[in-house]
Amino acid sequence: MKRKNVLILLAALPIIAAAKDIKVSSQPVHDWVWDKTETPEIVVELTDTMGRSGETAVSIEIRGDREDSEVLHTLKGEAILVGYTPTELEVKLPKLDPGFYRVTITDEGIEAMTFNIGISPEEVISEPNTPADMDEFWHRALEELSSIPLNATMVEIPEKSGQYRKIYFCQYLSLENDTVSGYLALPVKEGKYPAIIYYNGYNGQPWDIDPDGMPDWIEFQHWVRGQGPNKPYNRYDDYIQWHLEDPEKFYYRGGFMDAIRTIDFIESLPQVDKANIFAEGGSQGGAFTFAAAALDPKHRLRAIAPYIPFLSDYEDYFEIVHWPGDVVKHKAKEIGLDDIKLYENLSYFDIKNLTPKIKIPVLMGAGLQDPTCPPHTNFAAYNNLTSEKEYVIYPLMGHTVDYSDWNPRREKFFKNAKK
């Protein structure tokens, strides 16, 4: 039977057990996300793996979510351990302002566990820093894209095809006549079908689409310029560093237009129900999903489901985590670009500046422990949406979501949004 203690604010106690032998764990009570009016409470479980009894000193520190955040609150207290029996500490945290925070648990001065918590995520404020000529900038890109023929090709892959759908490798032209591609699952039976576009993550690898997994849907796995199957055409080095000095040449000007060009391709298929085109993507794909919905001049997407989205709130983003901030700032320094100009250039491609343009339903997924696209940056984009929206936070997930929950949730969301 577990023993229960209550942690006491700023109490000093003797040390008996060896810290290295103490196992510390915590499960996500309340999913580790609370409303700002609530008092957050966490449960910490300690076990002496050597089976000894005695007191051990425990400390809990709360910081902001940035790498250099100072300690905001410290709680110290004792845990009384009895043999191998787990001891629970029920810890009431101070009320906190909306935002995300890092909780660090130490046992006898040795860090044992760190995790993130959230307070009223939908109230995290990150005001847009939209350039005055944002609309003109993207209008020029879209005009340029419209002048380039699609020139699409489709080649069936028989060994990947199934009974109800055939799989095709597709290529087509995008901005600057660059080649982009994807894998298409197309129903064999004649008819009109809703379609889902899956935008790809940063420098990811293609995956096999289950040919008969969604027989009444068209699915398309998109690959942006220079990534995945397009690597033979890559001229962009490490993508996000490419031409930071000039928004007109920056990698994601073409990348965001590739997302639009993929809608062009899907719409061109005679089997597609044009009123029901949907999009999903994770990480970089989440950014493309938001960008496609925001920038498509014909508003052809019916609903979108981005998760753990990349490329949002750059200035804060680069202070919360090291990648890609360190890489980008190193490149900027190398080419003589100061911070003011760097963030000015990136503002054209900041998802938080694009989401106010979106007018369709949005479902967003976030990993509370994400070390790559932290939830602060996800909600910087989400909270600037003005359309119908909902979100789900996965408290134990890092740079991913719980697909066993997310996939059926997303499928239900798209089905409910169909015309």
Side-chain angles (χ1 to χ4, degrees):
M1 185 167 142
K2 294 179 182 177
R3 294 177 54 83
K4 291 190 176 182
N5 289 184
V6 177
L7 202 67
I8 303 170
L9 182 66
L10 296 176
L13 292 142
I15 298 169
I16 297 179
K20 64 183 177 61
D21 298 324
I22 305 298
K23 178 184 175 182
V24 178
S25 63
S26 182
Q27 292 301 312
V29 176
H30 212 281
D31 286 341
W32 283 336
V33 178
W34 295 268
D35 183 82
K36 65 184 179 183
T37 61
E38 298 175 308
T39 299
E41 182 174 332
I42 63 174
V43 176
V44 180
E45 186 174 291
L46 300 94
T47 308
D48 190 320
T49 60
M50 302 298 289
R52 296 168 297 186
S53 300
E55 295 177 353
T56 188
V58 179
S59 175
I60 295 179
E61 294 179 338
I62 304 169
R63 293 178 171 84
D65 59 354
R66 302 186 183 193
E67 285 286 339
D68 60 352
S69 292
E70 296 181 354
V71 176
L72 301 174
H73 301 281
T74 301
L75 298 97
K76 294 182 178 180
E78 70 169 344
I80 301 172
L81 305 177
V82 180
Y84 292 105
T85 303
T87 294
E88 280 189 355
L89 298 179
E90 297 177 352
V91 185
K92 290 187 182 297
L93 305 180
K95 286 189 177 180
L96 299 163
D97 293 331
F100 294 93
Y101 298 87
R102 186 172 291 115
V103 175
T104 301
I105 303 170
T106 61
D107 177 65
E108 297 178 17
I110 297 176
E111 184 175 321
M113 185 179 185
T114 297
F115 57 93
N116 297 330
I117 63 172
I119 307 295
S120 295
E122 67 280 8
E123 295 184 38
V124 173
I125 303 300
S126 188
E127 296 288 348
N129 59 334
T130 310
D133 65 341
M134 179 80 138
D135 289 342
E136 291 83 355
F137 175 86
W138 286 114
H139 178 74
R140 288 194 303 273
L142 289 162
E143 284 290 301
E144 185 180 332
L145 179 67
S146 68
S147 70
I148 297 169
L150 192 60
N151 282 3
T153 61
M154 294 172 51
V155 178
E156 186 187 351
I157 311 173
E159 65 273 19
K160 293 184 182 293
S161 296
Q163 179 180 358
Y164 301 108
R165 296 192 302 182
K166 292 184 178 180
I167 304 297
Y168 297 85
F169 178 65
C170 309
Q171 290 185 304
Y172 41 94
L173 296 180
S174 185
L175 202 67
E176 301 168 336
N177 288 300
D178 215 326
T179 299
V180 292
S181 63
Y183 293 92
L184 174 70
L186 196 62
V188 173
K189 186 178 178 181
E190 289 187 9
K192 296 285 187 180
Y193 297 90
I196 302 176
I197 298 167
Y198 303 109
Y199 289 112
N200 73 279
Y202 196 90
N203 206 17
Q205 296 299 320
W207 66 93
D208 287 336
I209 299 176
D210 181 351
D212 297 328
M214 296 179 69
D216 297 324
W217 286 74
I218 292 169
E219 294 179 279
F220 186 75
Q221 183 187 131
H222 157 100
W223 288 93
V224 68
R225 58 186 56 208
Q227 299 185 32
N230 305 314
K231 281 189 176 180
Y233 313 103
N234 182 31
R235 55 190 175 89
Y236 306 103
D237 190 26
D238 186 26
Y239 314 120
I240 198 169
Q241 301 179 59
W242 183 257
H243 282 301
L244 285 167
E245 78 287 351
D246 186 353
E248 297 285 350
K249 297 178 181 178
F250 184 49
Y251 175 75
Y252 283 107
R253 179 176 184 266
F256 286 5
M257 291 299 96
D258 293 350
I260 300 296
R261 182 43 52 113
T262 290
I263 304 175
D264 294 341
F265 170 69
I266 292 299
E267 187 186 40
S268 75
L269 299 172
Q271 298 90 338
V272 168
D273 173 1
K274 295 180 182 180
N276 287 300
I277 301 174
F278 302 87
E280 179 202 51
S283 193
Q284 176 187 251
F288 289 154
T289 303
F290 271 138
L295 295 174
D296 179 24
K298 300 177 184 178
H299 308 291
R300 290 167 290 181
L301 293 178
R302 177 66 186 144
I304 58 171
Y307 61 94
I308 53 171
F310 189 41
L311 306 179
S312 178
D313 205 12
Y314 288 101
E315 197 162 354
D316 281 357
Y317 184 14
F318 292 173
E319 290 185 14
I320 297 172
V321 294
H322 290 293
W323 189 90
D326 288 358
V327 171
V328 171
K329 288 188 282 189
H330 176 78
K331 184 66 174 181
K333 184 176 180 181
E334 182 182 291
I335 62 177
L337 196 65
D338 64 32
D339 283 354
I340 293 175
K341 187 61 177 174
L342 170 65
Y343 292 119
E344 180 182 306
N345 290 351
L346 290 175
S347 65
Y348 292 94
F349 313 93
D350 195 325
I351 300 305
K352 77 172 185 181
N353 294 336
L354 292 174
T355 50
K357 298 177 178 295
I358 294 173
K359 306 301 180 186
I360 57 174
V362 177
L363 168 67
M364 186 186 76
L368 187 57
Q369 311 308 320
D370 194 339
T372 305
C373 298
H376 172 106
T377 65
N378 302 163
F379 281 88
Y382 179 89
N383 289 342
N384 286 334
L385 286 163
T386 59
S387 63
E388 178 185 336
K389 60 184 178 179
E390 59 183 287
Y391 68 86
V392 55
I393 295 177
Y394 295 94
L396 295 176
M397 293 294 104
H399 192 50
T400 186
V401 290
D402 178 355
Y403 291 105
S404 67
D405 176 86
W406 174 257
N407 287 347
R409 186 187 294 266
R410 177 256 296 154
E411 289 174 18
K412 182 179 179 181
F413 174 70
F414 284 166
K415 287 178 181 177
N416 288 342
K418 281 173 62 177
K419 285 187 177 179

